[in-house]
Amino acid sequence: LVTTGGAAVWGNPTEMVIDKAGQTYTAGVGGITAAFVVYKNAVAGTVLHADATVLGTSNTIIGTARASALAGASVVVDNFGIVTLFADAASAFVPGALVYLSETTGQVSTVAPSTSGTAVVILGYANTAGGPSGTFTAYWDPRTPVVNP
């Protein structure tokens, strides 16, 4: 369901054009890489790469970086509709596959993390094929993290 000019339109997400302005943040220490998943650091107020192995980053995910940015520079973060993500080295996505936050910083995986103490975060569903170690598009639909015992 997409709202266009006040009218609801049903359709296939791969065929929709969604005008997403994104939100602008400041890149944190080390900068930000395009298509990487980011979280907002509550103390510094900047965005950094999220990681399933660091619980403080997985529960404050805000979206994916539209472009790379150096530390202190502005970066636009998309968090609605179809977004571009970067697959880790072990993941090859096909349309419809679940997208998980990876244990590789900023990247996503086809497999839920299983290491004790890691966060399992479903970020959405693949829209196009892509990876490994490459970009693809996905429908952004993040879920509440679950921590592996």
Side-chain angles (χ1 to χ4, degrees), residues 50 53-54:
T53 64
V54 183

Side-chain angles (χ1 to χ4, degrees), residues 1 29 37 53 61 63 69 78 105 110 113 118 133 147:
L1 176 67
V29 176
V37 177
T53 64
I61 290 172
D78 292 323
T105 303
T110 55
T118 58
S133 296
V147 179

